[in-house]
Amino acid sequence: LEFRRVLFRSYFVGVPGTPGAALTLESKQQPVAEIPFASTQPALAVAGFPYTTYRVTTPIQQIAWETRVTPASGNPNLAVRRERVPNEFNNDAYSETDAGVADSITLVPPTLSDGVFYLTVYSDGAHRFSLFNGEPEITDRPYIGATVNAPPHTSRNGWRYYRLTD
């Protein structure tokens, strides 16, 4: 599909295909929920329209920002984009893991800066998820030592962050 904006919020849609072929086109306004930075959104069940989008304003001087979708059912995925609504094809970052594994994205400067970011949770079918956004967990560890990947981190996709204390 190709969308082109024309005056007065009119849109023209071009769909490649065979002339005379029957097509079904659904057009609707996608809702966007405003959520605060450093918050957790409770479990949300989604069926029908596959996209759930949130708007977050990140504060100045963040060293890192983590977004995480924890599935309760189905296979929800996550996309992030600065100043524009993302999807699985247009985004600044995305995470698509297997069902049952949390999707997470961590942005750091220069990609991360203060301003407006959009988060879109999407899936091919019905799904239920909770959403976290905020500072990632940073664990203090001594310079010499060993760390074992243990629950709750074994069912999570993404990075672990450590700060060396000596």
Side-chain angles (χ1 to χ4, degrees), residues 1 22 25 45 60 68 72 115 122 151 156 166:
L1 290 175
L25 178 64
I60 195 165
R68 183 174 59 245
Y122 59 95
R156 187 172 148 197
D166 55 2

PDB file of all heavy atoms in Angstrom, residues 1 22 25 45 60 68 72 115 122 151 156 166:
ATOM      1  N   LEU A   1       0.836  -1.174   0.000  1.00  0.00           N
ATOM      2  CA  LEU A   1       0.000   0.000   0.000  1.00  0.00           C
ATOM      3  C   LEU A   1       0.878   1.233   0.000  1.00  0.00           C
ATOM      4  O   LEU A   1       1.912   1.273   0.653  1.00  0.00           O
ATOM      5  CB  LEU A   1      -0.863   0.047   1.248  1.00  0.00           C
ATOM      6  CG  LEU A   1      -1.978  -0.966   1.383  1.00  0.00           C
ATOM      7  CD1 LEU A   1      -2.614  -0.814   2.749  1.00  0.00           C
ATOM      8  CD2 LEU A   1      -2.984  -0.792   0.307  1.00  0.00           C
ATOM      9  N   ALA A  22     -10.717  -8.283  -6.990  1.00  0.00           N
ATOM     10  CA  ALA A  22     -11.480  -7.800  -5.833  1.00  0.00           C
ATOM     11  C   ALA A  22     -10.549  -7.628  -4.641  1.00  0.00           C
ATOM     12  O   ALA A  22      -9.747  -8.502  -4.342  1.00  0.00           O
ATOM     13  CB  ALA A  22     -12.584  -8.797  -5.498  1.00  0.00           C
ATOM     14  N   LEU A  25     -10.388  -3.353   1.632  1.00  0.00           N
ATOM     15  CA  LEU A  25      -9.571  -2.312   2.250  1.00  0.00           C
ATOM     16  C   LEU A  25     -10.315  -1.796   3.475  1.00  0.00           C
ATOM     17  O   LEU A  25     -11.482  -1.400   3.388  1.00  0.00           O
ATOM     18  CB  LEU A  25      -9.317  -1.164   1.270  1.00  0.00           C
ATOM     19  CG  LEU A  25      -8.518   0.009   1.816  1.00  0.00           C
ATOM     20  CD1 LEU A  25      -7.102  -0.426   2.185  1.00  0.00           C
ATOM     21  CD2 LEU A  25      -8.474   1.137   0.797  1.00  0.00           C
ATOM     22  N   ALA A  45      -5.962  -7.155  26.840  1.00  0.00           N
ATOM     23  CA  ALA A  45      -6.332  -8.177  25.864  1.00  0.00           C
ATOM     24  C   ALA A  45      -6.672  -7.491  24.551  1.00  0.00           C
ATOM     25  O   ALA A  45      -7.401  -6.498  24.530  1.00  0.00           O
ATOM     26  CB  ALA A  45      -7.523  -8.984  26.366  1.00  0.00           C
ATOM     27  N   ILE A  60      14.910  14.527  29.800  1.00  0.00           N
ATOM     28  CA  ILE A  60      16.268  14.882  29.385  1.00  0.00           C
ATOM     29  C   ILE A  60      17.300  14.104  30.213  1.00  0.00           C
ATOM     30  O   ILE A  60      17.039  13.726  31.347  1.00  0.00           O
ATOM     31  CB  ILE A  60      16.481  16.414  29.514  1.00  0.00           C
ATOM     32  CG1 ILE A  60      17.712  16.846  28.752  1.00  0.00           C
ATOM     33  CG2 ILE A  60      16.525  16.836  30.967  1.00  0.00           C
ATOM     34  CD1 ILE A  60      17.777  18.334  28.524  1.00  0.00           C
ATOM     35  N   ARG A  68       9.501  -2.959  27.501  1.00  0.00           N
ATOM     36  CA  ARG A  68       9.384  -4.426  27.571  1.00  0.00           C
ATOM     37  C   ARG A  68       7.918  -4.832  27.524  1.00  0.00           C
ATOM     38  O   ARG A  68       7.089  -4.279  28.246  1.00  0.00           O
ATOM     39  CB  ARG A  68      10.032  -4.932  28.853  1.00  0.00           C
ATOM     40  CG  ARG A  68      10.028  -6.436  28.997  1.00  0.00           C
ATOM     41  CD  ARG A  68      10.808  -6.909  30.225  1.00  0.00           C
ATOM     42  NE  ARG A  68      10.298  -6.384  31.474  1.00  0.00           N
ATOM     43  CZ  ARG A  68      10.962  -5.556  32.267  1.00  0.00           C
ATOM     44  NH1 ARG A  68      12.162  -5.147  31.951  1.00  0.00           N
ATOM     45  NH2 ARG A  68      10.419  -5.135  33.402  1.00  0.00           N
ATOM     46  N   ALA A  72       0.995 -12.491  28.098  1.00  0.00           N
ATOM     47  CA  ALA A  72       0.175 -13.380  28.924  1.00  0.00           C
ATOM     48  C   ALA A  72      -0.443 -14.446  28.031  1.00  0.00           C
ATOM     49  O   ALA A  72      -0.720 -15.545  28.478  1.00  0.00           O
ATOM     50  CB  ALA A  72      -0.899 -12.584  29.654  1.00  0.00           C
ATOM     51  N   GLY A 115      12.286  13.741  24.376  1.00  0.00           N
ATOM     52  CA  GLY A 115      11.319  13.984  23.319  1.00  0.00           C
ATOM     53  C   GLY A 115      10.231  12.939  23.318  1.00  0.00           C
ATOM     54  O   GLY A 115      10.074  12.164  24.258  1.00  0.00           O
ATOM     55  N   TYR A 122       2.272  -5.257  18.519  1.00  0.00           N
ATOM     56  CA  TYR A 122       1.535  -5.848  17.395  1.00  0.00           C
ATOM     57  C   TYR A 122       1.674  -7.358  17.416  1.00  0.00           C
ATOM     58  O   TYR A 122       2.581  -7.910  18.026  1.00  0.00           O
ATOM     59  CB  TYR A 122       2.050  -5.289  16.059  1.00  0.00           C
ATOM     60  CG  TYR A 122       3.520  -5.536  15.806  1.00  0.00           C
ATOM     61  CD1 TYR A 122       3.942  -6.634  15.073  1.00  0.00           C
ATOM     62  CD2 TYR A 122       4.486  -4.679  16.312  1.00  0.00           C
ATOM     63  CE1 TYR A 122       5.288  -6.871  14.843  1.00  0.00           C
ATOM     64  CE2 TYR A 122       5.832  -4.900  16.089  1.00  0.00           C
ATOM     65  CZ  TYR A 122       6.225  -5.997  15.354  1.00  0.00           C
ATOM     66  OH  TYR A 122       7.560  -6.229  15.141  1.00  0.00           O
ATOM     67  N   PRO A 151      16.397 -17.184  36.727  1.00  0.00           N
ATOM     68  CA  PRO A 151      15.076 -16.545  36.704  1.00  0.00           C
ATOM     69  C   PRO A 151      15.103 -15.258  37.517  1.00  0.00           C
ATOM     70  O   PRO A 151      15.820 -15.197  38.521  1.00  0.00           O
ATOM     71  CB  PRO A 151      14.167 -17.593  37.343  1.00  0.00           C
ATOM     72  CG  PRO A 151      14.861 -18.890  37.083  1.00  0.00           C
ATOM     73  CD  PRO A 151      16.331 -18.573  37.149  1.00  0.00           C
ATOM     74  N   ARG A 156      13.452 -13.919  29.160  1.00  0.00           N
ATOM     75  CA  ARG A 156      13.450 -12.535  28.709  1.00  0.00           C
ATOM     76  C   ARG A 156      14.453 -12.351  27.582  1.00  0.00           C
ATOM     77  O   ARG A 156      15.559 -12.874  27.631  1.00  0.00           O
ATOM     78  CB  ARG A 156      13.816 -11.657  29.896  1.00  0.00           C
ATOM     79  CG  ARG A 156      13.693 -10.218  29.653  1.00  0.00           C
ATOM     80  CD  ARG A 156      13.885  -9.486  30.968  1.00  0.00           C
ATOM     81  NE  ARG A 156      14.498  -8.215  30.674  1.00  0.00           N
ATOM     82  CZ  ARG A 156      15.098  -7.462  31.543  1.00  0.00           C
ATOM     83  NH1 ARG A 156      15.191  -7.849  32.791  1.00  0.00           N
ATOM     84  NH2 ARG A 156      15.610  -6.330  31.202  1.00  0.00           N
ATOM     85  N   ASP A 166      34.360  -1.913  41.468  1.00  0.00           N
ATOM     86  CA  ASP A 166      35.758  -1.628  41.818  1.00  0.00           C
ATOM     87  C   ASP A 166      36.671  -1.875  40.649  1.00  0.00           C
ATOM     88  O   ASP A 166      36.296  -2.400  39.649  1.00  0.00           O
ATOM     89  CB  ASP A 166      36.217  -2.442  43.025  1.00  0.00           C
ATOM     90  CG  ASP A 166      36.012  -3.935  42.861  1.00  0.00           C
ATOM     91  OD1 ASP A 166      35.556  -4.379  41.801  1.00  0.00           O
ATOM     92  OD2 ASP A 166      36.315  -4.645  43.813  1.00  0.00           O
TER      93      ASP A 166
END
